[in-house]
Amino acid sequence: MSPRTKLLLALPIVAAFVLVLVYFQLFTSPVAIAVIFVLYVAVSLWNRRRFRKQQKVSG
């Protein structure tokens, strides 16, 4: 599966997740905000490692 296809599949899932959080008013909870931030940092670090590996292979 190409990265573009993965992104197109992930976007509706993320949008639905955000709508659920808004509906249940979880954005006002500091715990929910902290969890989202930690997940964001974890995914960012994981993507950086993958990108570095791809650069080493191609260059």
Side-chain angles (χ1 to χ4, degrees):
M1 197 180 317
S2 73
R4 181 174 167 79
T5 306
K6 288 180 185 177
L7 179 65
L8 289 175
L9 290 174
L11 285 176
I13 294 169
V14 171
F17 180 70
V18 169
L19 287 173
V20 168
L21 288 176
V22 169
Y23 179 77
F24 290 112
Q25 297 177 351
L26 293 176
F27 275 126
T28 58
S29 166
V31 174
I33 294 169
V35 168
I36 291 169
F37 180 74
V38 168
L39 288 173
Y40 171 77
V41 170
V43 169
S44 295
L45 291 174
W46 184 62
N47 283 336
R48 279 189 192 171
R49 288 183 186 149
R50 278 186 44 204
F51 184 68
R52 279 192 203 130
K53 284 181 185 177
Q54 286 177 353
Q55 280 186 329
K56 287 180 183 177
V57 170
S58 65

